[in-house]
Amino acid sequence: MITNSRSDNVNTRNLVVDILLAVTRDGAFSHIAIRDVLDKYRYLPKQDRAFITRLSQGTIERMIELDAIINQFSKTKVKKMKPVIAAILRSGVYQLKYMDSVPDSAACNEAVKLTVKRGFGGLKGFVNGVMRTIARNMDQIRYPDAKKEPVRYLSVKYSIPEWLVQRFTEQYGAEACERSLAAYLMPHPTSVQVDTDRSSVEEIIASLEQQGITVRRNEQVERALFLSGYEALDEIEEFENGLLYVQDTASMLAVELAAPKQGDHVIDVCAAPGGKSVYAARMIGEQGHVEARDLTEYKVEMIEENIDRCRLSNMTAKVWDARVFDEAAREKADVVIADLPCSGLGVIGTKTDIKYNASEEKIAELAALQQEILHVVCGYVKPDGTLLYSTCTMTREENEDNVQKFLETHAGFELEQMRQYFPYEGCDGFFMAKMHRR
């Protein structure tokens, strides 16, 4: 049994600074940095683990706004600060502005203690001064003028880089842009698909609620639920035995658009960790088969773990580079799922660091890669078969423009349906296009 002294020696705010440095200084993905810390300190009380998650996620999510606030009240701007001091101030100001359960005095005092603990005792007066000045003047914070500087205003208000605000506004209009930015910051319950072959949705709901988990039906997908109020997924029996699989609503809708039938042969060319393949396997029955492919052994092992956990006998995994044509698969698939590497701008709500790492150059590179892969994998589609192209992003270059380019150069295919989902529609920002081979 864990003694209280073990957890009493852990400074949760110090762990949050570790996470922030891993993301902002070392380039780690935020969800992985948070997961690694929570796994290492699994013995911490539920309240402490929730505090670490909330503070680290919130600070990363609101970083542009937090920097703008700090810069109003600090002579030294955030960009000129030592990374540790910037992390301490950012997390401290997040507590002042967004965590009502933390008294202002505690946020200020703990920031000063952290400064000393991290070896910067000479800067404790600076940190103390900035924190207490912001605490006193929280209602005096100035934001850019929404009419005079609309792009900068939205950037600071929703903590999104200005170039992305400009891009979304130009491509989708001001209303869709702001609604999407607001949706990124909303709470995101966990979306799961249910294995209705082994249990009914009603039985699953009753079991989860008995475990104290908050459950909500998914109005867009019949065999899906939203979960919240749990501590760890791998502690839920229904997840461990494969009755539940984490997957966003839009991802499930994409597979439903492809509409694989009983007995179909499906090839998923960039499948890891395997959510679409699992969903398709549950649609095609034992007479069908899903071949889930990805580039590396590591990714294929992830898929195989999910095949085993979900007890799927009609699904296999294979290492294959989607850019290389597989002659053995020529015209073998009733459905090819091409959910391709993309800029990920639709999932900023759950992977917040994406917005800080994206660039116009990366978008252009990814659009070219997507074209290259589509040109190869369309050869696996049978005559009268389906090619599903999808991404979890919101750029015309990677989505509508890519579909148009593909159709212009592949006369044997025709577009049946195309849809861009936005984050305010109850799912990730997501694009899907169903193409039919004549």
Side-chain angles (χ1 to χ4, degrees), residues 351-415:
K351 297 179 180 177
T352 53
D353 45 291
I354 285 174
K355 60 188 175 185
Y356 306 120
N357 298 320
S359 69
E360 294 285 8
E361 293 74 24
K362 288 180 182 176
I363 289 170
E365 288 171 9
L366 287 161
L369 173 63
Q370 291 150 1
Q371 272 297 312
E372 181 185 356
I373 293 175
L374 282 175
H375 175 68
V376 171
V377 303
C378 69
Y380 305 150
V381 183
K382 289 179 180 178
D384 200 33
T386 295
L387 173 62
L388 176 78
Y389 172 56
S390 62
T391 70
C392 57
T393 197
M394 303 187 314
T395 74
R396 291 195 184 280
E397 296 92 325
E398 296 174 86
N399 296 339
E400 295 92 339
D401 292 355
N402 256 350
V403 171
Q404 184 178 346
K405 287 177 183 177
F406 175 79
L407 293 172
E408 286 172 355
T409 53
H410 298 80
F413 285 83
E414 59 188 357
L415 179 66

Side-chain angles (χ1 to χ4, degrees), residues 15-16 18-38 56-57 60-61 63 298-299 302 341-345 347-348 350-358 362 366:
L15 295 181
V16 170
D18 287 340
I19 291 169
L20 297 180
L21 290 173
V23 173
T24 59
R25 184 189 64 192
D26 305 333
F29 293 120
S30 60
H31 63 291
I32 293 175
I34 294 168
R35 184 196 66 198
D36 288 350
V37 166
L38 293 179
S56 53
Q57 282 181 344
I60 295 165
E61 189 173 60
M63 202 153 57
Y298 170 72
K299 289 189 172 184
M302 291 169 61
C342 70
S343 55
L345 301 181
V347 295
I348 286 173
T350 50
K351 297 179 180 177
T352 53
D353 45 291
I354 285 174
K355 60 188 175 185
Y356 306 120
N357 298 320
K362 288 180 182 176
L366 287 161

Side-chain angles (χ1 to χ4, degrees), residues 64-193:
I64 291 175
E65 181 190 29
L66 298 172
D67 286 1
I69 293 170
I70 294 167
N71 286 341
Q72 277 183 43
F73 298 99
S74 171
K75 290 181 180 178
T76 303
K77 303 308 176 191
V78 174
K79 285 185 177 179
K80 296 288 182 73
M81 293 177 187
K82 297 181 185 299
V84 172
I85 300 302
I88 291 170
L89 284 174
R90 283 166 170 163
S91 58
V93 174
Y94 182 85
Q95 292 168 71
L96 292 176
K97 184 162 176 60
Y98 289 108
M99 298 183 75
D100 294 338
S101 60
V102 179
D104 288 358
S105 57
C108 296
N109 292 338
E110 292 299 323
V112 174
K113 288 180 187 176
L114 267 184
T115 305
V116 176
K117 184 179 180 68
R118 287 280 182 163
F120 293 96
L123 292 173
K124 67 179 184 180
F126 167 74
V127 169
N128 186 53
V130 173
M131 285 291 295
R132 294 192 184 280
T133 301
I134 293 173
R136 285 195 307 270
N137 294 281
M138 191 57 71
D139 57 351
Q140 303 298 316
I141 293 170
R142 300 185 311 278
Y143 286 82
D145 189 294
K147 291 184 178 178
K148 293 179 181 177
E149 299 179 283
V151 171
R152 188 160 168 262
Y153 166 75
L154 291 176
S155 172
V156 173
K157 181 178 180 181
Y158 297 108
S159 279
I160 292 282
E162 289 185 30
W163 72 272
L164 270 178
V165 176
Q166 189 74 47
R167 169 181 262 278
F168 287 162
T169 302
E170 289 172 357
Q171 293 200 343
Y172 302 111
E175 182 186 357
C177 172
E178 184 163 10
R179 289 181 70 191
S180 295
L181 303 188
Y184 286 149
L185 299 176
M186 297 292 286
H188 288 81
T190 304
S191 173
V192 294
Q193 55 160 290

Side-chain angles (χ1 to χ4, degrees), residues 130-425:
V130 173
M131 285 291 295
R132 294 192 184 280
T133 301
I134 293 173
R136 285 195 307 270
N137 294 281
M138 191 57 71
D139 57 351
Q140 303 298 316
I141 293 170
R142 300 185 311 278
Y143 286 82
D145 189 294
K147 291 184 178 178
K148 293 179 181 177
E149 299 179 283
V151 171
R152 188 160 168 262
Y153 166 75
L154 291 176
S155 172
V156 173
K157 181 178 180 181
Y158 297 108
S159 279
I160 292 282
E162 289 185 30
W163 72 272
L164 270 178
V165 176
Q166 189 74 47
R167 169 181 262 278
F168 287 162
T169 302
E170 289 172 357
Q171 293 200 343
Y172 302 111
E175 182 186 357
C177 172
E178 184 163 10
R179 289 181 70 191
S180 295
L181 303 188
Y184 286 149
L185 299 176
M186 297 292 286
H188 288 81
T190 304
S191 173
V192 294
Q193 55 160 290
V194 176
D195 183 357
T196 52
D197 292 332
R198 288 197 285 144
S199 180
S200 71
V201 174
E202 288 72 22
E203 287 171 334
I204 294 287
I205 291 173
S207 175
L208 292 172
E209 288 180 340
Q210 201 169 17
Q211 297 172 57
I213 298 167
T214 302
V215 186
R216 179 164 58 87
R217 303 258 340 205
N218 188 324
E219 294 177 359
Q220 298 186 72
V221 180
E222 188 177 344
R223 61 175 87 184
L225 301 169
F226 292 111
L227 312 183
S228 57
Y230 62 90
E231 186 172 356
L233 264 178
D234 58 10
E235 293 176 3
I236 301 173
E237 184 183 348
E238 286 81 0
F239 175 79
E240 280 296 281
N241 64 24
L243 286 171
L244 299 179
Y245 188 99
V246 176
Q247 187 175 26
D248 184 70
T249 297
S251 185
M252 289 182 266
L253 289 172
V255 180
E256 291 190 354
L257 178 64
K261 307 180 299 300
Q262 288 280 318
D264 272 359
H265 183 72
V266 179
I267 298 178
D268 189 346
V269 299
C270 295
K276 291 181 184 65
S277 292
V278 169
Y279 200 68
R282 288 170 172 168
M283 293 174 72
I284 61 175
E286 289 300 316
Q287 301 307 309
H289 183 254
V290 175
E291 186 179 302
R293 303 176 168 199
D294 221 303
L295 183 61
T296 64
E297 291 280 359
Y298 170 72
K299 289 189 172 184
V300 168
E301 283 172 9
M302 291 169 61
I303 298 169
E304 288 173 338
E305 285 173 10
N306 283 316
I307 292 173
D308 291 341
R309 189 172 60 82
C310 296
R311 305 178 189 179
L312 294 166
S313 59
N314 63 345
M315 179 175 161
T316 55
K318 176 178 180 177
V319 177
W320 194 270
D321 185 341
R323 297 169 296 180
V324 178
F325 187 71
D326 180 6
E327 186 61 42
R330 182 186 291 275
E331 297 187 4
K332 289 287 179 65
D334 298 283
V335 176
V336 168
I337 298 174
D339 184 66
L340 301 188
C342 70
S343 55
L345 301 181
V347 295
I348 286 173
T350 50
K351 297 179 180 177
T352 53
D353 45 291
I354 285 174
K355 60 188 175 185
Y356 306 120
N357 298 320
S359 69
E360 294 285 8
E361 293 74 24
K362 288 180 182 176
I363 289 170
E365 288 171 9
L366 287 161
L369 173 63
Q370 291 150 1
Q371 272 297 312
E372 181 185 356
I373 293 175
L374 282 175
H375 175 68
V376 171
V377 303
C378 69
Y380 305 150
V381 183
K382 289 179 180 178
D384 200 33
T386 295
L387 173 62
L388 176 78
Y389 172 56
S390 62
T391 70
C392 57
T393 197
M394 303 187 314
T395 74
R396 291 195 184 280
E397 296 92 325
E398 296 174 86
N399 296 339
E400 295 92 339
D401 292 355
N402 256 350
V403 171
Q404 184 178 346
K405 287 177 183 177
F406 175 79
L407 293 172
E408 286 172 355
T409 53
H410 298 80
F413 285 83
E414 59 188 357
L415 179 66
E416 283 195 2
Q417 198 172 336
M418 182 166 65
R419 175 77 150 84
Q420 173 73 64
Y421 282 89
F422 293 95
Y424 55 82
E425 295 184 85

